[in-house]
Amino acid sequence: MAVSQSDVVFVLFFGRETEETNKSWCPDCVIADPLIRKAINTVDNSIILEIPVDRSTDTSSPALVFRQRNDVSLQKVPTLLRWTKHGPSSIRLVEDECHREENILDFVAKTNELCPQ
């Protein structure tokens, strides 16, 4: 899928699913996933780019780069942020902040104000 200039892009970093259970190793991610999808689906032309993240102790993970990039500085999952043509926004939802639909809807509204397309 190609991303167009008019798309509203959200990036969701979440704990990768394990082979044993096909569920995320991160319980916060399991709770947050349906809430995030529901809230983001209310935004016209929205896209969720999902980045599976391994445990921070896995230094062979391809997602390690997001823990090392200064503009992302991924520390915990789930992390939801808005990505613009200038890169990631500075506001984000992290961990249990993603458990409440009201938080996610407020985040979406705030990023729409601060990150025009």
Side-chain angles (χ1 to χ4, degrees):
M1 167 196 332
V3 177
S4 76
Q5 295 253 345
S6 63
D7 288 332
V8 180
V9 179
F10 293 91
V11 178
L12 174 60
F13 295 93
F14 67 96
R16 184 183 307 278
E17 292 88 4
T18 66
E19 289 182 15
E20 298 83 29
T21 65
N22 287 327
K23 290 186 180 182
S24 174
W25 56 263
C26 166
D28 288 329
C29 298
V30 174
I31 294 167
D33 184 68
L35 301 173
I36 290 171
R37 290 177 189 284
K38 181 178 177 184
I40 299 299
N41 282 336
T42 67
V43 179
D44 290 338
N45 299 321
S46 64
I47 295 175
I48 302 175
L49 297 178
E50 300 176 57
I51 312 290
V53 177
D54 298 298
R55 295 179 187 272
S56 60
T57 55
D58 184 354
T59 57
S60 66
S61 171
L64 183 63
V65 67
F66 295 108
R67 295 188 187 279
Q68 297 170 336
R69 282 182 56 155
N70 290 335
D71 60 346
V72 176
S73 298
L74 181 66
Q75 301 294 316
K76 299 177 181 181
V77 292
T79 294
L80 178 65
L81 54 85
R82 170 89 178 266
W83 203 281
T84 70
K85 63 183 175 183
H86 304 291
S89 64
S90 59
I91 57 173
R92 58 192 62 207
L93 291 180
V94 179
E95 261 186 333
D96 61 353
E97 295 171 342
C98 298
H99 287 187
R100 296 190 51 183
E101 189 173 0
E102 303 84 42
N103 290 354
I104 302 165
L105 291 171
D106 288 346
F107 168 80
V108 167
K110 187 182 285 187
T111 61
N112 283 338
E113 292 170 12
L114 298 175
C115 306
Q117 297 170 339

